Structure formats: structure tokens, C-alpha cells
Amino acid sequence: MNINFILQGKGGIGKSFLASVISQSLLASNHRIMCIDTDPVNASFASFKSLNVHQIKILDNNKEIDSSAFDKFMELICSAEDIDDVIIDNGAASFIALTNYLLLNGIFDMLQEMGHTVTVHTILVGGQAFSDTLVGVSEVCKYFKDKCSIVVWENEYFGKIEHNGKQFTEFSVYKNNSEQITHVLKLEHLHEMFANDLKRMNEMHLTFDDANQSKDFTFMQKNRLNIIKTKLFEQCNQLI
């Protein structure tokens, strides 16, 4: 199996959307998938009903993160049969807790010894959250150095990804981790019409196929969503 973790310490930057896109692209390629949501605050990934996402409750009765609850998704993975890919979405609120759990329990080594491959997907955004997400990318590279492949997704929703005229591949964090960062992929900035259709689809917790079959979207809205889908899947297909 291919185990895909979506990890970033910054919230509200598109982690659940990315998880849904990766899942949908794998399904479109006839992969058998398992989806898991460990976000303790906003279970956005689990809201995509068509993806049959397993929601893992990691808050105890005092609303504190119970790290031992992460055992549940490991049990799901280790007991899975006839699954090609696992996609795990994790919230910003539990980024440190899950990272510590993965490292303390030697999860990546264990999964690889079982014959699975492990990839961590992380997101870099433009705009005001650029610095915070760059720190998040740096932390992912630091924590998981030499333990797995890392894919950096440049999300242009809030603006272009650049700093002082430099692109991400010119940053020191990329240069210092270029062997481990196997791909730098892009969630492109969208024209307002396209962005509005995509936002509405996500707010309704629909997949692209759901929206294509829905009477709530017009012919042209569906056409725009299909254009977005094609471009996103082209990015994802680089990982298959």
C-alpha cells in the first residue's frame, strides 16, 4: 500500500481539499483507497460522504488530544485488505501530537518494513500565511528527514508562491531537502468564476463526480469544474 499523510501546522490552507483531490484522482485511476480523517476540530475530509472517510475521534472527555487514539488508524491500516492507497488528513490542532506519535512509535519504519510506501504531503501558500506555511514545510522536512518521501503542494489560492523574487525551488529549505522532496506540485490560482464554483462544491462537501451528477449545478458550472478537475488530476497523476 501507499500511505499518504497530509500534514501542515497551519490551518485553513486547503489540507482537506487536497486530501479529497488525491483520493478522487486515485479512484479515477481505479485504485482501491481508504480515507481517514484525524482532524479533532474540523472534520472536513470526513464530510465528503462519497469517499467513505473513516473519522478517528482523538479528543478525550476533557477535549484534550489523546495521542493513543491514533492507534485506531494504525489498526485500520494494518488490518486493511485489498487496498492500494490510504489517505490520512490531519488538522493543524493535532499536527504536533500526530508528528510526535509517528516519531515515538517508529510508524514510518514499521510501515516500510511491512512493505508499504509512505509519503507526506504538505502545503505552501502565498499571501499572508506564506511565512507560517514555509515554517510548516521546514518542520515537516526536519521531523521526517530520511524517513519518507515529501511532496510540497504550492496553493496559489491566496497568491503566488514567491519571496524576494525567488521561487520555492530556490529557497534553502528546498535545496537542503531536494533529495527527499520528490515533487513540487501546484494548486493553481483560479479565475473568480472557477473559484466560486469550486468553493460552492466544497461547501456542499461534494466530489467532482457528485457535482457533475447534481441538479444544483448548471451545465457551464459543471464544465468549469471539469476543467479544474482535469488540471488537478494531472498534478496528482505525477505521483502514480
Side-chain angles (χ1 to χ4, degrees), residues 162-201:
E162 61 179 16
H163 184 64
N164 294 332
K166 293 184 178 181
Q167 306 297 311
F168 173 66
T169 51
E170 300 176 274
F171 297 172
S172 58
V173 63
Y174 175 79
K175 292 179 178 179
N176 294 338
N177 299 279
S178 58
E179 293 185 5
Q180 192 169 4
I181 299 175
T182 58
H183 295 81
V184 179
L185 302 177
K186 195 177 294 292
L187 302 175
E188 293 183 356
H189 174 75
L190 299 173
H191 184 281
E192 184 178 3
M193 285 191 301
F194 289 77
N196 287 340
D197 293 336
L198 184 62
K199 180 181 179 181
R200 180 162 172 254
M201 184 187 82

Side-chain angles (χ1 to χ4, degrees), residues 17-141:
F17 172 65
L18 176 60
S20 75
V21 168
I22 293 172
S23 302
Q24 291 175 69
S25 70
L26 290 168
L27 284 173
S29 297
N30 296 317
H31 285 227
R32 299 162 298 181
I33 69 170
M34 174 188 291
C35 301
I36 301 173
D37 191 341
T38 64
D39 191 329
V41 179
N42 300 304
S44 300
F45 189 32
S47 299
F48 288 86
K49 301 303 182 184
S50 296
L51 297 177
N52 298 315
V53 181
H54 297 270
Q55 186 176 359
I56 305 298
K57 304 289 187 180
I58 63 170
L59 294 181
D60 61 21
N61 292 332
N62 296 317
K63 302 301 180 182
E64 299 291 335
I65 293 175
D66 177 9
S67 295
S68 65
F70 289 124
D71 287 350
K72 295 176 183 177
F73 81 74
M74 286 306 304
E75 293 293 334
L76 282 173
I77 294 173
C78 294
S79 63
E81 297 182 358
D82 300 323
I83 295 294
D84 300 311
D85 300 89
V86 178
I87 304 91
I88 303 161
D89 182 30
N90 185 64
S94 54
F95 171 73
I96 295 299
L98 178 56
T99 296
N100 288 339
Y101 173 87
L102 294 171
L103 295 174
L104 180 64
N105 290 277
I107 298 298
F108 288 1
D109 290 339
M110 182 184 73
L111 290 172
Q112 289 163 357
E113 287 172 3
M114 295 172 64
H116 307 314
T117 60
V118 180
T119 302
V120 169
H121 302 257
T122 190
I123 300 177
L124 181 65
V125 304
Q128 293 183 344
F130 168 78
S131 296
D132 289 341
T133 56
L134 184 61
V135 169
V137 171
S138 300
E139 289 178 337
V140 165
C141 291

